[in-house]
Amino acid sequence: MDIIFLWAEVLVRWLHVVAGIAWIGSSFYFIALDYSLNDKNKLPPKAFGEAWQVHGGGFYHLVKYLVAPKNLPDELTWFKWEAYTTWISGFFLLILVYYSHSQLYLIDTFKLEINEFQAICISLFGIVVGWVIYDFICRSRIGENTVTLSAVVYVFIVLCAYFYSEIFSGRGAFTQLGVMIGTIMVANVAMVIIPGQKKVVNALIKGNKPDPIHGIRAKQRSLHNNYLTLPVIFIMLGGHYPILFSTKYSWLLIAFVIVIGGLIRHFFNSHHAKKGSPWWTWILSFIIVLIMIYITNLGKPSKTDDLKLTELSKSLNQEILASAMETTSIHCTMCHASNPQWHGMKTPPKGIVLETSEDILENIDIIMQQAVWSNAMPPGNITWMEFGERKSIENLYLEV
C-alpha cells in the first residue's frame, strides 16, 4: 500500500503544479493585457480598449468590453477550471501528505498537546473561517477603500500566520497558511468573480442593465489574487526548507514575503501600464530579503529548545536511541556536521546538523523522509546503509 500512496502523492502533486502554472499563467496574462490596453484607435461601441499581440506566427486583435457588447457570441470561454483544479488537487495533496501524516507534519507537542483528529479539525476550521472573515471584510465598509482594505487584509493574514505558528509545527503552519490563502484566492473566483460575471451575462441576455457591483467586486478580488500569488507560492515552497519554517519568527518572514510580492507585482503592473518601471521596488525587496536572512538566524533554536530535546532524549528507550545514533554517525554525519568531512563540502546540506541526540530528535521527520520512506539518503546509497540500519531510524521515529 505504501507504494500506492507514494505514487498518488507524486501524481496529485504533479497535477497541482501543472494546474497552478495554468492558473497563474492565465491570471498574469490577463493582468498584463488589462494594463496594456489602449483607446487611441477608433473602438467598437461600448469597447473599453484594445491590444494587438503577436504569438506563434500569428497576430491577435483583442478588444475589451467592461459591459458585454449588444450581441453576445454563442460561446464564451470561462477561465475558471485552472483555479478549481489547482484547489482540488491541492486539497487532495493536503490529505495525502499532511492529514494522513499529521503526527509528523502538523503536530508539535512542544507547542500544543493535541491528537491527530484535533489537528485536522483545527486545520479545516481555519481554512473555512479564513475565507469567511476575509469575505466579510471585503463586503463591509472597509472594502470601499482599496488602501484600507489592503492594510486590514494584510494584518489579518499576518495574525493568522502568527496564530498557526503557535499551534502547529513550523512546516505545518506554513502549509496551513498557504492553503488558507490559496482557498481565499480560489473562492474569490468560484464565489465572487464567476457568479458575478454569470449574472451580468444573464442580465444582458434578458435585455436588462447589469448591476455594476458585480464588476466592482470582481475587479477588487482579481486585484487581491494578483498580489497574493507570489507570496502563496513562496509559502508553499517554503514548507520544504527548514531554514524558513523552523525559525521562531517564521510568521514574520511571511509578513515580509507578502510585502515583497506586492512590490514585485507593482513593478510589473506599472511596467505593463506604461507608467514607468519603478526599479526601487527591486532594491527595497533586496533589502527586505537581507532582513529575512537575519531573522532566520535570530530565530534559530535556543537553549530552552535544546533542554526540551535533552529531556525527551532521556525519556526514550536508550537502546533504540543509541542504535539510531550509530546509524546516523556512520552514514550521515560526514556531511551533516558543523564541519563536514566529505571532500569539497564546507557546510552541511540545507544547514541540517546530525551530531547529537538532540539533533537527531529535532530532525527525525526529515531523516525518516530521506532515509526510510525513500532511499534518497545517503545519495546513491554511497555508504551502503542497510535495511536494518534504516529500521533503527524508524524505531526511533515510532518511539518519539
Side-chain angles (χ1 to χ4, degrees), residues 34-216:
D34 272 347
Y35 281 116
S36 66
L37 294 172
N38 69 74
D39 56 0
K40 296 178 181 178
N41 300 319
K42 187 175 181 180
L43 298 174
K46 297 184 178 180
F48 174 74
E50 67 172 357
W52 282 87
Q53 299 182 357
V54 58
H55 180 75
F59 295 88
Y60 297 81
H61 182 205
L62 306 169
V63 179
K64 178 178 180 177
Y65 297 83
L66 293 180
V67 179
K70 185 176 182 180
N71 297 314
L72 279 173
D74 294 331
E75 293 185 6
L76 285 172
T77 300
W78 296 83
F79 289 86
K80 58 183 181 179
W81 291 110
E82 302 94 329
Y84 299 169
T85 305
T86 300
W87 189 88
I88 293 170
S89 58
F91 189 73
F92 273 107
L93 195 61
L94 181 69
I95 295 172
L96 285 169
V97 178
Y98 289 89
Y99 288 172
S100 63
H101 301 100
S102 56
Q103 192 71 40
L104 176 62
Y105 293 124
L106 277 181
I107 298 172
D108 186 340
T109 53
F110 287 152
K111 294 180 179 178
L112 187 65
E113 286 280 356
I114 53 175
N115 59 40
E116 295 185 20
F117 177 75
Q118 290 171 328
I120 294 171
C121 287
I122 291 172
S123 174
L124 290 171
F125 182 77
I127 293 169
V128 174
V129 171
W131 158 252
V132 171
I133 294 176
Y134 163 81
D135 187 57
F136 173 79
I137 293 171
C138 291
R139 293 177 186 270
S140 69
R141 294 191 64 181
I142 296 172
E144 296 174 4
N145 185 287
T146 300
V147 176
T148 303
L149 176 61
S150 299
V152 172
V153 170
Y154 172 76
V155 171
F156 168 65
I157 292 175
V158 173
L159 287 175
C160 287
Y162 176 77
F163 175 74
Y164 292 133
S165 70
E166 292 296 305
I167 292 179
F168 294 133
S169 67
R171 185 170 183 176
F174 254 60
T175 301
Q176 175 69 16
L177 191 72
V179 173
M180 189 195 79
I181 297 176
T183 299
I184 286 173
M185 294 172 66
V186 175
N188 277 339
V189 176
M191 302 180 74
V192 178
I193 298 173
I194 295 298
Q197 289 178 330
K198 286 186 176 181
K199 289 178 181 177
V200 169
V201 170
N202 290 334
L204 290 168
I205 292 174
K206 294 177 181 178
N208 300 327
K209 184 178 180 180
D211 189 340
I213 189 63
H214 300 305
I216 294 171

Side-chain angles (χ1 to χ4, degrees), residues 223-291:
L223 183 67
H224 291 178
N225 283 5
N226 178 30
Y227 280 93
L228 287 173
T229 297
L230 295 181
V232 80
I233 292 174
F234 180 94
I235 292 168
M236 300 308 282
L237 291 176
H240 297 278
Y241 293 91
I243 194 173
L244 297 176
F245 65 73
S246 63
T247 175
K248 291 180 180 179
Y249 305 112
S250 58
W251 63 274
L252 198 53
L253 296 181
I254 291 173
F256 283 127
V257 163
I258 295 174
V259 174
I260 293 175
L263 289 171
I264 294 174
R265 287 311 304 159
H266 175 68
F267 171 85
F268 283 105
N269 291 342
S270 299
H271 178 74
H272 293 314
K274 298 180 176 60
K275 295 181 179 179
S277 300
W279 294 102
W280 61 267
T281 57
W282 292 97
I283 298 172
L284 183 54
S285 296
F286 178 73
I287 293 172
I288 296 175
V289 168
L290 293 179
I291 296 173

